[in-house]
Amino acid sequence: MMDRKEYLTALAARLTDEIVVATYSSASDWLDITDRPLNYFSIGAMGLASSHGLGLALARPERRVIIIDGDGSLLMNLGTLVTIGAVAPVNFTHLVSHNGSYEANGGQPIPNKSVDFAAIARGAGYKACHTISKIADFESKLDDLLHADGPLFADLMIEQGAIKTHDYPGMYSADRRALLRKTLDADN
Amino acid sequence: MATASESPANDRAGSLNGSTVISAIKAAGVSHVLAVPDLHTCDGLLTPIAVDPDLTLIRTCKEDECLGIAAGLSYGNKRAVILIQYTGMLYAMNAIRAVAVSYKQPIVLMVGLLGKEEGLAPQKSKRLGIRVIEPMLDLMGIPHHLIETDADTPMIAPAINQTYEQSFPVGLLIGRSPSRS
C-alpha cells in the first residue's frame, strides 16, 4: 500500500492548470503539499467532492478536473459514480484515497474495507478504472490519468494517516473560493 | 421571506402552465437543470426540459448531488435550477445547509409539493412533509416563493437573478402540478 502524501506529491509534481477538488483528510494533505489557486476543497456535506467536480468539469470543459476523494466520502454518495458515468465528461479524473476508514471521523472503519470501487465505477460507465497499491504503478499511469479521455477512475490503496485535527474553515474559506473564481474568470 | 401562501384559498385558483415556468427559467439565463424525477412536475416540466435544446438536463441519483453540481457549475458562470420533490429537499437538508447556506453558493431549489391540497397553503397541508417545508427554509434563512398559477411565474426570473447576484439560495415551491402545453 502507498502513503497518501507519497502519491499526492507525485501528482502535484505533474500538474499545470488542472482544477483539483479534494475532501477532508486528503484535502488536508493536499494543501500541505501544494497551496494553489486552482484548489477547491469540498467539506461540510460529506460525499459531494465528485459532484462539485462534475459541475466544474461541465463548466470548464477546457480544463482537466481531478477529484481527490476519500473512500468514506465516496460511500456516502455512491450514486455519484452512476451520474458521472452517464454524463461522461472527458476532462474528469476521479481518484479515491482508499484506507478503509473514516479517517476524519476518528479512524473508524468503513463498513467493508475490501469494497472494489474500481469494479463499481467500471459498471457505472467510467471509461477506464484502476486499482493501484504501489507508487511505481501510480506514476506509470499518471500520464493517462491526466490526459486520456475520461471519465477516469483510480482506487488508490493507502495506509491510514494519523488522526489529527484539521483546519476545515481555513481550507474552505470564502477567500479561497473567491481566488478560484477569479483565476477561472481570467480565462475569459 | 416573500411567499404567497398566506393568500385566501380562492385567490389561488387557476392553472400553471409548464412552458411558462420553463420560459421564466430560461429568461434568467439558466443553462442546466439538475433533477431527480418528481411525479408532481414530471409531465409539465421534466419531460419538456429533457428535450429542450436550450437546456442541459443532468439526471442525478440523489438530490444532494445536485447541490455540489450546481455549486461547481457556478465557477464557470453557468446557472442551474435544481428540480426535485419536497421529499428530496428534506433528504438533502445537510447539503443545503453546508453548500447553499454556510458556503453561500447560488442554489435555486425548484421543489414540487406533490400531494398538496388544491387552494391550501403549504403550512396548512395534512401532509407533514409539506407542512414543514416553508418553516425549514425560514429556519435556514432561505427566501422562498410559492408558484401555483401563471400569475406567480413573473417572480421566477428575478428570484433566480437575485440568487446569482447575491450568491445565496432561493426556494421556488411548485404548489400545483404544471400542465404540459
Side-chain angles (χ1 to χ4, degrees):
Chain A
M1 286 202 279
M2 294 180 284
D3 176 84
R4 182 169 52 222
K5 279 198 166 177
E6 193 179 21
Y7 95 75
L8 291 178
T9 301
L11 175 66
R14 299 287 295 275
L15 294 192
T16 53
D17 61 355
E18 298 84 351
I19 300 169
V20 173
V21 181
T23 196
Y24 285 99
S25 300
S26 293
S28 183
D29 279 354
W30 180 251
L31 188 57
D32 282 348
I33 293 165
T34 175
D35 188 355
R36 50 201 285 284
L38 290 170
N39 285 344
Y40 180 111
F41 296 113
S42 164
I43 58 168
M46 204 165 163
L48 293 191
S50 56
S51 302
H52 288 274
L54 177 58
L56 283 159
L58 292 171
R60 295 287 177 173
E62 74 283 5
R63 286 185 186 263
R64 173 74 46 163
V65 177
I66 300 168
I67 317 304
I68 305 175
D69 212 341
D71 49 2
S73 287
L74 180 56
L75 285 174
M76 293 198 177
N77 184 22
L78 207 50
T80 189
L81 297 177
V82 174
T83 300
I84 291 163
V87 177
V90 297
N91 57 329
F92 194 93
T93 298
H94 194 168
L95 309 177
V96 178
S97 299
H98 187 158
N99 60 8
S101 81
Y102 293 108
E103 192 176 298
N105 289 347
Q108 295 293 318
I110 62 174
N112 179 358
K113 294 183 181 188
S114 304
V115 56
D116 187 346
F117 287 119
I120 299 171
R122 190 173 297 114
Y126 275 62
K127 192 154 183 192
C129 304
H130 311 279
T131 301
I132 302 172
S133 56
K134 294 187 185 331
I135 190 65
D137 193 18
F138 177 71
E139 286 169 339
S140 74
K141 290 183 166 65
L142 257 179
D143 259 347
D144 275 351
L145 287 170
L146 292 176
H147 302 295
D149 282 353
L152 309 173
F153 187 89
D155 187 5
L156 304 172
M157 311 305 288
I158 61 166
E159 303 283 353
Q160 179 168 316
I163 307 301
K164 57 184 180 180
T165 55
H166 301 281
D167 177 22
Y168 291 134
M171 274 196 275
Y172 207 70
S173 70
D175 288 344
R176 279 193 193 283
R177 294 198 296 282
L179 179 56
L180 171 64
R181 200 177 284 283
K182 185 179 170 186
T183 305
L184 292 175
D185 283 347
D187 286 351
N188 301 330
Chain B
M1 231 69 64
T3 171
S5 58
E6 284 82 31
S7 298
N10 58 7
D11 286 356
R12 308 305 303 153
S15 62
L16 181 61
N17 194 314
S19 64
T20 308
V21 175
I22 294 169
S23 294
I25 289 171
K26 292 202 277 189
V30 169
S31 56
H32 289 73
V33 175
L34 318 174
V36 176
D38 167 18
L39 194 59
H40 191 67
T41 54
C42 265
D43 200 43
L45 294 181
L46 186 55
T47 299
I49 285 169
V51 296
D52 192 315
D54 299 326
L55 294 170
T56 298
L57 173 64
I58 307 291
R59 297 181 188 271
T60 68
C61 296
K62 287 300 292 181
E63 291 82 357
D64 52 352
E65 296 177 64
C66 298
L67 275 292
I69 297 169
L73 281 167
S74 77
Y75 286 84
N77 300 311
K78 301 279 193 263
R79 293 188 171 191
V81 163
I82 294 173
L83 180 62
I84 55 179
Q85 193 184 99
Y86 76 90
T87 50
M89 191 195 108
L90 292 172
Y91 167 85
M93 281 310 290
N94 185 51
I96 293 169
R97 169 200 64 83
V99 177
V101 180
S102 292
Y103 295 128
K104 296 185 174 58
Q105 299 293 298
I107 300 289
V108 178
L109 298 162
M110 184 164 276
V111 181
L113 302 182
L114 176 69
K116 188 186 80 65
E117 300 86 339
E118 176 139 347
L120 207 62
Q123 292 185 54
K124 303 285 188 201
S125 174
K126 289 188 177 135
R127 294 175 189 257
L128 170 65
I130 294 176
R131 279 204 309 276
V132 302
I133 286 295
E134 287 178 328
M136 290 187 81
L137 291 170
D138 289 339
L139 271 173
M140 292 273 180
I142 298 175
H144 52 89
H145 308 274
L146 182 63
I147 312 292
E148 278 209 301
T149 71
D150 287 342
D152 299 324
T153 57
M155 67 176 84
I156 292 174
I160 295 173
N161 286 333
Q162 185 174 31
T163 293
Y164 278 90
E165 284 156 16
Q166 296 181 355
S167 195
F168 200 73
V170 69
L172 300 172
L173 309 180
I174 307 297
R176 183 193 307 272
S177 186
S179 61
R180 179 143 46 138
S181 51

